[in-house]
Every structure is written in structure tokens, then in C-alpha cells.
Amino acid sequence: MVVTTRTRSPIRSNVGLKAVMAVTGIILVLFLIAHMLGNLKVFTGATSFDHYAHWLRDIGKPVLPGVWFLWIQRGVLTVAVLAHIAAATVLARRSRAARPVRYAHRPKVQGSYAARTMRWGGVIILLFVIYHLLDLTTGHLNPVGDPSKPYSNVVADFAPERWYVTLFYTLAIVALGFHLRHGAFSAFRSLGQQTPRGEARARAAALVFAVALSAGFLVVPFAVLTGLVS
């Protein structure tokens, strides 16, 4: 009798799944940095911001027709998000399966707050992304909803009377900050920062990065809310 053994694909191993999370995480972080920097152009005025927004639709011309670059970007980001979620889910399930007996009392030192709330933070971020697309991309939930006036869309979106939108935006960005802090710290540790001093540096660098990116996103809605941008 011939016994055949099925070999698991390297990408389905724990190491492979962590690599998927790392690569997709880098793609998403690079997009977030570029998106945040683009958002900050709102402080340069309506003409400059609108020109930037329309330029995004023309990237790749004349090699790529129309808004193909945006659709390619959206496709890559969608695949990255789905792969990131799938890899995280499989790793979490394997971790629970490897420890079938739960602790009677979980020590407070086991994991940071960010690590324990990654699941719910991810749900909040996903819901926000859906709302954000319907709001400032398709315009269905925006008071102006005019694709030719992106600056006006942003100002109308975070107007004082729509404080609940700013609140939801803030909640999502804070959740994103925790997510980034934990992910960046894990990435730094994977790069070999596992000595006590190295971990302290990795923790500090992850915190600075998460706070800086979160602040970059939050400064726009609060500028509109307080009238600095109108």
C-alpha cells in the first residue's frame, strides 16, 4: 500500500501567513501615508485641493485610459485587505486551537490593549471604510456629493452640524492607530528587536508612528469642525 502525504503550501504555514500579513500590511500602510499626505493639501485651499483630486484620476495617462489607475489601485488594496484579514483570522484560530484550555484569570500583562482589541478595531475600521467610500468617493452619503468639487465635499462632510460624522471618523482613526501601533511593534520585533532595549525602542517607534499618522488624518476634520478650513 502506497501512503501519500499531502504537503502544505508554504504560504499556508504560520510563517507564510505572517509573511502575507507583513507584505499586505506594508502595502496598506504605504497607501495610508500617501492618503494622509494628500488629505493635508486641504490646507492649501480649494483650488489646489481640487486640482490634486482631479490629478489622481489622470495618473497613468496616456498609457492608461480614464481612471484605470484608480481602479487598479482599488483592486490591489481590496486584495491586500482581504488577504490581511484572512491571514489574521487563520493565525488567530490556530493560536486558540493550540491552547484549548483557557486561563481561569488572564494576566493583565498578557498582551497590550491594542493586541486584545485588534478584532473589534478591525471591524470598526472595515465599517468606516465602507462608509467613507459611500461618503467621499461615490458621494451617496455626502451633503454635496459632487465629484467635481472634492474640497466642498470635505467641508460639507465635517461641518459642525454633522459632528456625529467627525465622531465616527475619530473613533475609526483611533482604532486604526491602535491597529498600526500593534502591527508596527510586531514588525519591528520580527526584524530582530527582541532584546529588552530593542523592544523598548520598537515600542516607542511604533507609538510615534501610530500617533503621527493618526494625527495627520484627524487634523482635517477638526480643522473643518472648528472653522479653520471652510
Side-chain angles (χ1 to χ4, degrees):
M1 181 177 64
V2 178
V3 179
T4 59
T5 59
R6 181 180 298 178
T7 59
R8 175 185 292 179
S9 170
I11 201 171
R12 297 177 60 187
S13 67
N14 286 354
V15 174
L17 290 173
K18 288 180 180 179
V20 169
M21 288 196 68
V23 172
T24 55
I26 291 172
I27 293 173
L28 296 172
V29 166
L30 290 176
F31 168 75
L32 287 172
I33 294 173
H35 189 39
M36 182 266 291
L37 293 175
N39 286 352
L40 294 178
K41 289 188 70 67
V42 75
F43 292 102
T44 62
T47 301
S48 178
F49 186 78
D50 287 351
H51 180 270
Y52 162 74
H54 294 311
W55 170 77
L56 289 176
R57 296 176 174 272
D58 294 333
I59 296 178
K61 286 185 176 181
V63 177
L64 297 176
V67 293
W68 276 34
F69 175 82
L70 281 180
W71 283 109
I72 293 173
Q73 181 190 73
R74 290 165 182 167
V76 171
L77 291 175
T78 299
V79 171
V81 168
L82 293 177
H84 197 79
I85 293 173
T89 301
V90 173
L91 286 171
R93 287 178 176 175
R94 288 180 182 176
S95 178
R96 285 196 299 269
R99 194 190 62 208
V101 180
R102 296 184 178 181
Y103 294 115
H105 299 285
R106 177 180 290 187
K108 292 184 179 180
V109 296
Q110 181 187 344
S112 65
Y113 176 80
R116 295 196 300 271
T117 56
M118 287 290 277
R119 181 188 303 173
W120 291 112
V123 171
I124 293 172
I125 295 169
L126 179 61
L127 292 176
F128 170 74
V129 168
I130 295 172
Y131 174 84
H132 195 57
L133 291 174
L134 293 173
D135 181 13
L136 292 175
T137 300
T138 68
H140 288 85
L141 300 180
N142 189 273
V144 175
D146 187 346
S148 66
K149 300 178 179 179
Y151 183 90
S152 298
N153 292 337
V154 172
V155 171
D157 195 37
F158 299 114
E161 62 271 17
R162 285 169 58 84
W163 58 267
Y164 50 90
V165 174
T166 301
L167 179 62
F168 182 37
Y169 189 95
T170 302
L171 177 63
I173 295 301
V174 169
L176 176 64
F178 278 116
H179 205 86
L180 288 172
R181 175 177 173 269
H182 177 72
F185 173 67
S186 299
F188 289 142
R189 286 198 63 192
S190 298
L191 293 175
Q193 298 293 336
Q194 297 186 11
T195 64
R197 178 176 293 181
E199 285 204 7
R201 291 176 178 173
R203 203 176 297 276
L207 178 61
V208 170
F209 172 71
V211 170
L213 195 64
S214 299
F217 276 108
L218 289 176
V219 69
V220 173
F222 279 97
V224 176
L225 183 67
T226 58
L228 183 61
V229 172
S230 61

